[in-house]
Amino acid sequence: MNTPALRPAMIVVLGSTVLAAAIVLSLAVGVIHTTPGDVFRVLGDACAGRDDGSLAHTLVIDMRLPRALAGACVGAALDVSGCLLQSLLRDPLASPTLIGTAQASGFGRVLGVFLGWSYASSVALSFVTAMLGTAIVLMFARSRRGFPSQVVLLAGVNVGMLFAALIGLVQYASRDEGQLSRMVLMLLGGLWQVTWSPLALVAPFTIGALVLAVFAARRLDLFALGEENALRLGLSTRAWGSVLLAIACLLTSLAVSVAGIVAFVGLIVPHAARRIVGPAHAALVPACAFLGAAIVVATDDVARTVAAPNELPLGVLTSLVGVPCFLVLLRSQVRRGGAYGC
């Protein structure tokens, strides 16, 4: 077996191991500590279809396991979405939050709550508004030279502010205190309300979109060379660009529907993964998925334990860490003249 075929397989094995360890740790930590032995016993009982009705079973199976799996889905979705956007736009600063995709998706989710739509309908609306917001940014940012980083960033910030204002209007129009409370908590970003029901809807679509992104790795490599070079090499850039953009927006809307707006995860982690495995997307996409999943699961552990018995919003915590990282990344890009592929 040649090395190029083996390397992505090794990343999947190592990534699965790290993610599994992060999830097991997440099942053990909390306000009420659960020993690793109890965690494995409860998981074994659940696999065998047994429920002893113990507190450990309730904590691990009913509360912590769906939360940990949701965190893995959110982290993988946001990081792969960021990776796709950075490759498509050849912009190292592209991410779901910085180009307004996450804010547009958040508007769709909030609007669905306001209209009293079902969870599935709200997720679908979130995807539509994510596509709309991204299309607006690209429409105004496109030039003969592609998508200049500074223009994409400025357009994204303004579109993000537009949808933030629309979110504010929806909240202002709401007269239901319970509804308004759900909107505010959702937008702060967090996994405290995750149960098996929404996870059962979101997880299959997330996994499917991630698989599609992995199979599109070769096309992403061509996009990273620039649109003209990709066309010269026989890639239908318009068709594949639309498909990959739709995948990025779908992943973002799924993540926002589960956890609200979790900033900077989709920006920083793809750069870290690129430094570890290199720029080839056959290795980079799965590396982003596993690394992002493990990081969000671990960050959620910190969010629910550092100020116990209270919880910090996940989105607030990722912003506190992400803003300094973004400034370092921005400074690095300024020094390098905005070159892609840091």
Side-chain angles (χ1 to χ4, degrees):
M1 185 179 293
N2 56 26
T3 302
L6 181 63
R7 196 179 182 195
M10 291 177 60
I11 291 170
V12 171
V13 172
L14 292 173
S16 301
T17 303
V18 172
L19 179 57
I23 290 176
V24 170
L25 177 63
S26 181
L27 299 181
V29 301
V31 177
I32 301 175
H33 182 69
T34 307
T35 65
D38 286 338
V39 169
F40 287 112
R41 176 182 60 79
V42 169
L43 290 176
D45 288 344
C47 291
R50 295 191 298 268
D51 179 0
D52 59 6
S54 65
L55 176 61
H57 186 281
T58 301
L59 286 173
V60 172
I61 301 300
D62 297 332
M63 299 176 67
R64 293 177 183 171
L65 184 56
R67 181 168 182 159
L69 294 177
C73 287
V74 168
L78 289 176
D79 288 336
V80 172
S81 177
C83 177
L84 294 179
L85 292 172
Q86 289 170 12
S87 298
L88 282 172
L89 304 178
R90 300 190 72 244
D91 183 355
L93 301 180
S95 76
T97 48
L98 285 182
I99 71 167
T101 307
Q103 292 86 338
S105 179
F107 168 67
R109 182 74 175 92
V110 165
L111 184 59
V113 172
F114 177 75
L115 296 174
W117 288 8
S118 67
Y119 183 78
S121 299
S122 296
V123 173
L125 182 59
S126 175
F127 170 63
V128 171
T129 53
M131 287 289 290
L132 175 63
T134 307
I136 293 172
V137 171
L138 300 186
M139 181 177 66
F140 283 99
R142 188 175 182 86
S143 71
R144 293 180 179 178
R145 296 182 294 112
F147 297 95
S149 178
Q150 299 90 336
V151 181
V152 171
L153 193 59
L154 286 172
V157 168
N158 281 277
V159 168
M161 292 174 64
L162 169 64
F163 280 100
L166 293 175
I167 289 171
L169 283 176
V170 173
Q171 291 176 326
Y172 180 77
S174 176
R175 294 294 181 263
D176 185 333
E177 289 187 5
Q179 186 184 76
L180 183 59
S181 164
R182 290 204 312 276
M183 293 178 186
V184 172
L185 288 175
M186 184 195 69
L187 292 172
L188 284 174
L191 298 168
W192 51 71
Q193 295 178 323
V194 174
T195 61
W196 285 109
S197 179
L199 182 62
L201 173 66
V202 168
F205 285 100
T206 302
I207 294 171
L210 292 174
V211 170
L212 289 176
V214 171
F215 280 122
R218 176 60 181 161
R219 280 83 180 181
L220 288 166
D221 287 337
L222 296 177
F223 268 109
L225 299 175
E227 188 172 344
E228 291 185 2
N229 290 327
L231 275 170
R232 201 171 292 124
L233 292 170
L235 180 68
S236 177
T237 55
R238 184 178 295 274
W240 273 105
S242 300
V243 169
L244 293 170
L245 192 63
I247 293 173
C249 290
L250 176 61
L251 288 169
T252 301
S253 61
L254 291 169
V256 170
S257 297
V258 171
I261 298 176
V262 180
F264 292 102
V265 175
L267 171 67
I268 305 301
V269 177
H271 288 282
R274 193 174 286 111
R275 289 181 180 273
I276 295 171
V277 303
H281 287 85
L284 181 58
V285 172
C288 284
F290 285 112
L291 185 59
I295 286 176
V296 169
V297 170
T299 305
D300 184 57
D301 292 343
V302 175
R304 61 189 172 90
T305 57
V306 70
N310 299 313
E311 259 191 55
L312 292 177
L314 180 62
V316 171
L317 197 58
T318 57
S319 294
L320 289 174
V321 176
V323 168
C325 293
F326 169 71
L327 293 176
V328 171
L329 179 63
L330 182 62
R331 184 60 181 168
S332 171
Q333 292 306 309
V334 171
R335 288 177 175 174
R336 301 169 103 184
Y340 176 76
C342 67

